[in-house]
Short mmCIF file of all heavy atoms in Angstrom, two decimals:
data_model
loop_
_atom_site.label_atom_id
_atom_site.label_comp_id
_atom_site.label_asym_id
_atom_site.label_seq_id
_atom_site.Cartn_x
_atom_site.Cartn_y
_atom_site.Cartn_z
N GLY P 112 -10.66 -2.90 4.92
CA GLY P 112 -10.46 -1.82 4.01
C GLY P 112 -11.08 -0.43 4.42
O GLY P 112 -12.21 -0.48 4.73
N ALA P 113 -10.20 0.56 4.41
CA ALA P 113 -10.73 1.85 4.92
C ALA P 113 -10.64 2.96 3.88
O ALA P 113 -10.66 4.10 4.18
CB ALA P 113 -9.88 2.22 6.09
N VAL P 114 -10.61 2.52 2.56
CA VAL P 114 -10.55 3.46 1.52
C VAL P 114 -12.00 3.45 0.91
O VAL P 114 -12.62 4.50 0.57
CB VAL P 114 -9.59 3.17 0.42
CG1 VAL P 114 -9.62 4.19 -0.73
CG2 VAL P 114 -8.22 3.27 1.03
N GLN P 115 -12.62 2.24 0.63
CA GLN P 115 -13.91 2.06 0.12
C GLN P 115 -14.73 1.01 0.79
O GLN P 115 -15.97 1.18 0.80
CB GLN P 115 -13.73 1.90 -1.44
CG GLN P 115 -13.26 3.08 -2.13
CD GLN P 115 -13.13 2.83 -3.61
OE1 GLN P 115 -12.69 1.73 -4.09
NE2 GLN P 115 -13.39 3.88 -4.47
N SER P 116 -14.16 -0.11 1.11
CA SER P 116 -14.82 -1.26 1.55
C SER P 116 -15.70 -1.05 2.82
O SER P 116 -16.92 -1.19 2.81
CB SER P 116 -13.90 -2.53 1.76
OG SER P 116 -13.45 -2.87 0.47
N LEU P 117 -15.05 -0.76 3.96
CA LEU P 117 -15.72 -0.49 5.25
C LEU P 117 -15.79 0.90 5.61
O LEU P 117 -16.95 1.28 6.12
CB LEU P 117 -14.88 -1.30 6.34
CG LEU P 117 -14.86 -2.84 6.31
CD1 LEU P 117 -14.11 -3.37 7.40
CD2 LEU P 117 -16.31 -3.44 6.30
N TYR P 118 -14.83 1.65 5.20
CA TYR P 118 -14.76 3.05 5.60
C TYR P 118 -14.29 3.81 4.40
O TYR P 118 -13.73 3.27 3.52
CB TYR P 118 -13.77 3.37 6.74
CG TYR P 118 -14.20 2.61 7.96
CD1 TYR P 118 -13.50 1.47 8.36
CD2 TYR P 118 -15.25 3.02 8.83
CE1 TYR P 118 -13.69 0.69 9.50
CE2 TYR P 118 -15.55 2.17 10.00
CZ TYR P 118 -14.76 1.10 10.33
OH TYR P 118 -15.16 0.32 11.42
N GLN P 119 -14.49 5.19 4.34
CA GLN P 119 -13.97 5.93 3.18
C GLN P 119 -13.18 7.04 3.75
O GLN P 119 -13.33 8.27 3.51
CB GLN P 119 -15.15 6.45 2.45
CG GLN P 119 -16.03 5.42 1.73
CD GLN P 119 -17.00 4.74 2.61
OE1 GLN P 119 -17.56 5.29 3.46
NE2 GLN P 119 -16.94 3.39 2.48
N ILE P 120 -12.11 6.70 4.47
CA ILE P 120 -11.26 7.66 5.25
C ILE P 120 -10.63 8.65 4.17
O ILE P 120 -10.58 9.87 4.39
CB ILE P 120 -10.22 7.04 6.04
CG1 ILE P 120 -10.87 6.40 7.25
CG2 ILE P 120 -9.11 7.94 6.54
CD1 ILE P 120 -10.05 5.45 8.11
N LEU P 121 -10.15 8.12 3.03
CA LEU P 121 -9.36 8.96 2.24
C LEU P 121 -10.29 10.02 1.42
O LEU P 121 -9.78 10.94 0.79
CB LEU P 121 -8.59 8.15 1.17
CG LEU P 121 -7.51 7.23 1.73
CD1 LEU P 121 -6.75 6.53 0.60
CD2 LEU P 121 -6.60 7.94 2.62
N SER P 122 -11.56 9.77 1.43
CA SER P 122 -12.48 10.71 0.80
C SER P 122 -13.44 11.44 1.71
O SER P 122 -14.33 12.05 1.38
CB SER P 122 -13.25 9.98 -0.30
OG SER P 122 -14.01 8.93 0.25
N ASP P 123 -13.07 11.33 3.01
CA ASP P 123 -13.90 11.93 4.11
C ASP P 123 -13.70 13.50 4.05
O ASP P 123 -12.63 13.97 4.27
CB ASP P 123 -13.59 11.43 5.41
CG ASP P 123 -14.53 11.85 6.55
OD1 ASP P 123 -15.01 12.96 6.44
OD2 ASP P 123 -14.77 10.97 7.39
N PRO P 124 -14.71 14.18 3.75
CA PRO P 124 -14.64 15.65 3.55
C PRO P 124 -14.24 16.38 4.93
O PRO P 124 -13.90 17.51 4.85
CB PRO P 124 -16.03 16.14 3.11
CG PRO P 124 -16.96 15.01 3.53
CD PRO P 124 -16.18 13.76 3.52
N ARG P 125 -14.42 15.68 6.02
CA ARG P 125 -14.16 16.28 7.32
C ARG P 125 -12.53 16.34 7.56
O ARG P 125 -12.09 17.12 8.38
CB ARG P 125 -14.78 15.49 8.49
CG ARG P 125 -16.27 15.64 8.39
CD ARG P 125 -16.90 14.65 9.36
NE ARG P 125 -16.64 13.33 8.95
CZ ARG P 125 -17.05 12.22 9.58
NH1 ARG P 125 -17.76 12.28 10.65
NH2 ARG P 125 -16.74 10.94 9.12
N LEU P 126 -11.84 15.58 6.81
CA LEU P 126 -10.40 15.59 6.95
C LEU P 126 -9.72 16.63 6.10
O LEU P 126 -10.30 17.10 5.21
CB LEU P 126 -9.85 14.16 6.69
CG LEU P 126 -10.44 13.07 7.49
CD1 LEU P 126 -9.89 11.69 7.11
CD2 LEU P 126 -10.02 13.33 9.11
N ASN P 127 -8.49 16.88 6.47
CA ASN P 127 -7.78 18.02 5.79
C ASN P 127 -7.04 17.67 4.55
O ASN P 127 -6.45 18.53 3.87
CB ASN P 127 -6.75 18.60 6.74
CG ASN P 127 -5.69 17.74 7.20
OD1 ASN P 127 -5.83 16.45 6.96
ND2 ASN P 127 -4.57 18.19 7.68
N HIS P 128 -7.18 16.37 4.09
CA HIS P 128 -6.51 16.01 2.91
C HIS P 128 -7.27 14.80 2.29
O HIS P 128 -7.80 13.96 3.01
CB HIS P 128 -5.13 15.57 3.18
CG HIS P 128 -4.36 15.10 2.03
ND1 HIS P 128 -3.91 15.88 1.04
CD2 HIS P 128 -3.93 13.77 1.57
CE1 HIS P 128 -3.34 15.23 0.00
NE2 HIS P 128 -3.22 14.03 0.35
N ALA P 129 -7.39 14.80 1.00
CA ALA P 129 -8.13 13.68 0.35
C ALA P 129 -7.29 13.40 -1.01
O ALA P 129 -7.38 14.14 -1.97
CB ALA P 129 -9.50 14.05 -0.13
N PRO P 130 -6.46 12.27 -1.06
CA PRO P 130 -5.74 11.97 -2.27
C PRO P 130 -6.68 11.48 -3.30
O PRO P 130 -7.81 10.99 -3.04
CB PRO P 130 -4.85 10.87 -1.70
CG PRO P 130 -5.57 10.21 -0.57
CD PRO P 130 -6.32 11.33 0.04
N THR P 131 -6.21 11.44 -4.49
CA THR P 131 -6.91 10.82 -5.61
C THR P 131 -6.76 9.30 -5.47
O THR P 131 -5.72 8.78 -4.92
CB THR P 131 -6.17 11.33 -6.92
OG1 THR P 131 -6.28 12.66 -6.94
CG2 THR P 131 -6.96 10.68 -8.15
N ILE P 132 -7.88 8.58 -5.71
CA ILE P 132 -7.81 7.13 -5.58
C ILE P 132 -8.02 6.48 -6.87
O ILE P 132 -8.95 6.76 -7.59
CB ILE P 132 -8.91 6.75 -4.51
CG1 ILE P 132 -8.69 7.40 -3.25
CG2 ILE P 132 -8.97 5.12 -4.40
CD1 ILE P 132 -10.03 7.35 -2.34
N THR P 133 -7.13 5.40 -7.18
CA THR P 133 -7.35 4.62 -8.34
C THR P 133 -7.42 3.08 -7.74
O THR P 133 -6.53 2.85 -7.02
CB THR P 133 -6.16 4.60 -9.32
OG1 THR P 133 -6.13 6.13 -9.63
CG2 THR P 133 -6.37 3.90 -10.60
N THR P 134 -8.32 2.35 -8.21
CA THR P 134 -8.43 0.92 -7.76
C THR P 134 -8.46 -0.01 -8.82
O THR P 134 -8.67 0.37 -10.08
CB THR P 134 -9.74 0.76 -6.93
OG1 THR P 134 -10.78 0.88 -7.79
CG2 THR P 134 -9.90 1.75 -5.80
N GLY P 135 -8.18 -1.23 -8.51
CA GLY P 135 -8.26 -2.38 -9.52
C GLY P 135 -7.09 -2.60 -10.44
O GLY P 135 -7.12 -3.45 -11.29
N VAL P 136 -6.04 -1.90 -10.18
CA VAL P 136 -4.86 -2.07 -11.10
C VAL P 136 -4.20 -3.43 -10.72
O VAL P 136 -3.76 -3.74 -9.57
CB VAL P 136 -3.79 -1.01 -10.81
CG1 VAL P 136 -2.47 -1.33 -11.61
CG2 VAL P 136 -4.40 0.38 -11.26
N LEU P 137 -4.13 -4.36 -11.58
CA LEU P 137 -3.74 -5.77 -11.43
C LEU P 137 -4.48 -6.41 -10.29
O LEU P 137 -3.90 -7.25 -9.61
CB LEU P 137 -2.15 -5.78 -11.24
CG LEU P 137 -1.31 -5.11 -12.39
CD1 LEU P 137 0.03 -5.27 -12.04
CD2 LEU P 137 -1.59 -5.81 -13.70
N GLN P 138 -5.65 -6.20 -10.14
CA GLN P 138 -6.56 -6.77 -9.20
C GLN P 138 -6.53 -8.32 -9.08
O GLN P 138 -6.37 -8.82 -8.04
CB GLN P 138 -8.11 -6.26 -9.40
CG GLN P 138 -8.89 -6.57 -8.30
CD GLN P 138 -9.55 -7.87 -8.25
OE1 GLN P 138 -9.78 -8.50 -9.43
NE2 GLN P 138 -9.89 -8.43 -7.21
N ALA P 139 -6.68 -8.94 -10.30
CA ALA P 139 -6.71 -10.36 -10.38
C ALA P 139 -5.43 -10.94 -9.69
O ALA P 139 -5.49 -11.99 -8.91
CB ALA P 139 -6.96 -10.80 -11.74
#
Side-chain angles (χ1 to χ4, degrees):
V114 177
Q115 293 178 321
S116 295
L117 295 179
Y118 305 100
Q119 295 76 43
I120 291 173
L121 299 186
S122 56
D123 189 323
R125 296 170 294 182
L126 298 175
N127 63 342
H128 180 71
T131 302
I132 302 164
T133 302
T134 66
V136 176
L137 302 180
Q138 187 275 332

